[in-house]
Structures are given as C-alpha cells and as structure tokens.
C-alpha cells in the first residue's frame, strides 16, 4: 500500500552554528529538504508551521534541552523520525530520549557516512510504522463497513418478513367486508395510544407492528367458524381462542419480533386475569397487549358488524369504561379516551372547514 507522504523535510536543531551548517549542507546533498533551528523554542515554532518528516536534535543546548524537547516534539508530530545528537559522555540522556520516542542517537563528532545510513534507517522504520497504522485503519474501516452493511441487510429482511405477514393478514381480512382494514386501524390507533402513554419510539413501533399482526393466527382457524353468523358453541369458541397461540407460533422464528410476539399472544388477556391463553392479570400482561386488546374492542364497536351498527367514537369510549378494571387497563382507557377526543376535535375542525 503506497503512502502518500509528500517530500521529506528534515529539521536540524543544534545551538552550534558550524554544526548546523555542516549538517544542512550534507543533508541537502543527499536530496532532503532541510530546515534548521538554533534552539528548542525555534524548533517547536517550525514544527507547528510545517510538516517535518525527520529531526536531528542536539541533547545539550542552552534553554530547553533536547531531553525536555522530545515529548513536546512527539506531541506535535507523533510519527516523526527523531535522531538525537549527543556528546560521548552523555549516552544516558540519549537513552532517556529513546524511551520517550526517539529512534536512535549519534555521538559527536558525527561521521557523515554513519549519519546518512542512520537517517535512511530511521525513515524506513517510520514508513513501516505508518504503513502498519494505515493497514490497521483500513482494516477497522473495512470491518465497520461490513458490519453496517450486514445490519442494513438484516433490517431489510426484517422489514420484508413483516410486510409479507401483513399481506397475509390483509388477504385474510379482505374476504370479510366487516373485517377489512381492522388490523391496520388497530395498529394505527394502538400506536397513538402508546405515544399518549409516553413510551419510547421503539416501543410505539413494536405496538404498531403488534397491531398489524395481532390476528395473524386466524389463518389457522376453520373458515366456517370464522364466518359463522350467530353464537359459537363452546368447542367452536375454544377453537377461535387458539388464534393467539397459533399467531405466536407463526411468528416465533422471527427473533426480531420477540416483544411483538408477546403482544400477539396476550392481546386477549383481561385485566382481572380471566382472559386467555395464560390467565395473566394486571401489569403481568405486556403493555402492548393491553393497548391492542382495548383498541381491538374499540374498533369492533366503531365499525359495522352483521349483528350491530357502528357506534360513534365517544359512545364506544363510554362503553369501554364499563370494562375498565375488568377487561381493560385503567391507564390504557385514559390514554385511549384522550386520543379519541383529540381525533374527534380534528374531525370537527375538518368538517367546519368544508
Ligand atoms: Fe384477536
């Protein structure tokens, strides 16, 4: 992988002018771009101003010493190839500099041939480190991109599976003029009730999906019983009741619908514990199931059925109040009442505009 690293600029930092000049001349002959500084402050100024690839830094300087300068340099230019220049008797300071991030040290007087090789080696080492960092970054980006792609695919699959099941529900309801659109209406009103109760957006969407799929188990109920006019026998009623367990079994393989499956299974539970299939009571019943159950009764009351005319919304809310504490959660009823009256106010406004 090529590194786009630009021209190689070296910075020579030494308080002795003859040494600075000699090093500059030599390094320019080697083809490097060269900057010089007589002390620490000046060197830091240059580092702030321009990109420096490598640095020759004298350990012993008046003011800020080379040793003190190393951490400041590394902070400004963490990938710099840093070589220390030191007197014979100062190898300990040079070793300290290497602990702080310098690559190597050269002992004065400097052998230019040795210097050339040391710079070359330091630059090569820097290149290898940068390449490694680049590969690491590239790998991290690749992994993150793959994970994001996979997640998107999964979300799409989840959407498709819910849409397919909704299509099944629609097909089932389309056969019965009294049921047409029931699940879609239950879904929308249930989501509004959930929002009114202040639950999270994620919860609202789970309730909406639960509303759309709550009766999917009716696929497993014999048609002559589903369409039967008049009262059901005990056995027939027990068969119809199975739609909640059949529904949750149909959805069971869809792990992302785990919560929704609970809503489907429990939407015929009653607040007093006399519902089905698990005889849950009160807050044992998942909130989504309590909402969908109440809204389903409201929808049955406000749409025409073979055995009844549709009831006006306010009257249906009134009728549901009789079921509070027995079938319906009091808090759900309160939220439903608020949503229905807001909706009626909007209808009234629309009518007034016409
Ligand atoms: Fe149902």
């Amino acid at each position: 992988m090529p590194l786009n690293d630009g021209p190689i600029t070296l910075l020579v930092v030494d308080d002795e002018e003859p040494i600075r000049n000699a090093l500059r001349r030599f390094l320019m002959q080697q083809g490097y771009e060269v900057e010089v500084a007589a002390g620490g402050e000046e060197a830091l100024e240059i580092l702030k101003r321009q990109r420096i690839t490598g640095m020759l830094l004298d350990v012993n300087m008046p003011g800020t010493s080379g040793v003190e300068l190393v951490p400041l340099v590394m902070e400004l230019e963490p990938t710099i190839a840093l070589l220390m220049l030191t007197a014979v008797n100062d190898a300990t300071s040079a070793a300290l500099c290497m602990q702080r991030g310098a690559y190597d040290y050269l002992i004065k007087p400097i052998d230019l041939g040795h210097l050339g090789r040391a710079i070359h080696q330091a630059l090569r080492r820097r290149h290898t480190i940068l390449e490694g960092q680049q590969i690491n970054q590239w790998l991290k980006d690749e992994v993150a991109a793959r994970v994001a792609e996979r997640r998107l695919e999964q979300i799409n699959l989840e959407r498709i599976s819910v849409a397919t099941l909704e299509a099944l529900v629609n097909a089932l309801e389309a056969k019965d003029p009294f049921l047409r659109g029931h699940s879609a209406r239950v879904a929308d009103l249930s989501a509004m009730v959930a929002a009114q109760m202040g639950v999270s957006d994620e919860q609202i969407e789970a309730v909406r999906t639960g509303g759309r799929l709550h009766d999917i188990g009716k696929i497993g109920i014999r048609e002559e019983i589903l369409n039967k006019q008049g009262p059901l026998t005990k056995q027939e009623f027990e068969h119809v009741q199975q739609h909640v367990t059949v529904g949750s079994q149909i959805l069971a393989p869809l792990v992302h619908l785990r919560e929704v499956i609970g809503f489907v299974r429990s939407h015929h539970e009653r607040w007093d514990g006399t519902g089905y299939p698990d005889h849950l009571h009160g807050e044992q019943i998942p909130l989504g199931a309590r909402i969908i159950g109440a809204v389903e009764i409201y929808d049955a009351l406000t749409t025409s059925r073979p055995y009844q005319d549709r009831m006006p919304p306010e009257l249906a809310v009134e009728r549901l109040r009789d079921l509070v504490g027995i079938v319906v959660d009091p808090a759900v009823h309160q939220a439903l009442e608020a949503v229905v009256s807001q909706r009626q106010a909007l209808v009234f406004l629309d009518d007034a505009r016409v």
Side-chain angles (χ1 to χ4, degrees), residues 62-282:
T64 316
S65 77
V67 183
E68 290 166 329
L69 211 59
V70 173
L72 307 175
V73 169
M74 298 312 292
E75 205 182 305
L76 284 172
E77 196 68 70
T79 60
I80 198 162
L82 180 58
L83 297 179
M84 305 308 294
L85 308 176
T86 175
V88 184
N89 57 2
D90 204 10
T92 321
S93 305
L96 181 62
C97 293
M98 286 180 70
Q99 271 176 19
R100 294 180 177 180
Y103 281 13
D104 202 355
Y105 67 93
L106 300 164
I107 292 172
K108 291 179 179 177
I110 290 160
D111 168 350
L112 289 179
H114 186 188
L115 173 66
R117 282 193 300 279
I119 288 178
H120 189 73
Q121 257 174 19
L123 290 175
R124 218 171 41 196
R125 190 171 143 203
R126 173 179 178 274
H127 187 85
T128 310
I129 291 171
L130 280 178
E131 229 172 25
Q133 283 174 355
Q134 213 177 45
I135 289 170
N136 270 343
Q137 192 52 47
W138 177 80
L139 278 174
K140 271 187 207 155
D141 293 348
E142 271 302 284
V143 169
R146 291 276 168 278
V147 168
E149 244 171 51
R150 188 73 201 84
R151 182 78 197 111
L152 261 184
E153 271 169 26
Q154 200 184 334
I155 289 171
N156 267 338
L157 276 177
E158 289 173 3
R159 268 202 211 115
I160 291 167
S161 61
V162 171
T164 310
L165 293 168
E166 268 181 66
L168 272 176
V169 171
N170 290 343
L172 191 77
E173 290 179 351
K175 285 196 237 165
D176 180 344
F178 298 106
L179 267 188
R180 209 164 286 158
H182 164 72
S183 293
R185 285 192 306 273
V186 169
D188 289 343
L189 187 53
S190 295
M192 287 165 84
V193 172
Q196 176 72 26
M197 295 183 83
V199 303
S200 68
D201 288 356
E202 207 179 323
Q203 278 277 314
I204 293 172
E205 286 319 303
V207 170
R208 192 191 304 280
T209 307
R212 285 192 183 134
L213 303 179
H214 73 282
D215 273 344
I216 193 161
K218 287 194 174 163
I219 288 170
I221 304 304
R222 286 196 297 279
E223 241 172 82
E224 74 270 17
I225 298 179
L226 271 185
N227 298 334
K228 185 176 173 184
Q229 310 289 327
L232 300 177
T233 66
K234 188 169 178 286
Q235 283 82 359
E236 286 168 341
F237 186 56
E238 279 168 7
H239 180 60
V240 170
Q241 285 184 340
Q242 284 172 8
H243 78 280
V244 293
T245 43
V246 172
S248 54
Q249 281 159 6
I250 289 172
L251 301 176
L254 303 171
V255 284
H256 68 281
L257 293 181
R258 195 181 53 79
E259 200 178 16
V260 171
I261 294 170
F263 300 165
V264 171
R265 184 177 174 91
S266 301
H267 77 274
H268 281 287
E269 297 289 359
R270 295 164 51 125
W271 186 254
D272 65 1
T274 60
Y276 61 86
D278 302 308
H279 312 296
L280 303 177
H281 62 83

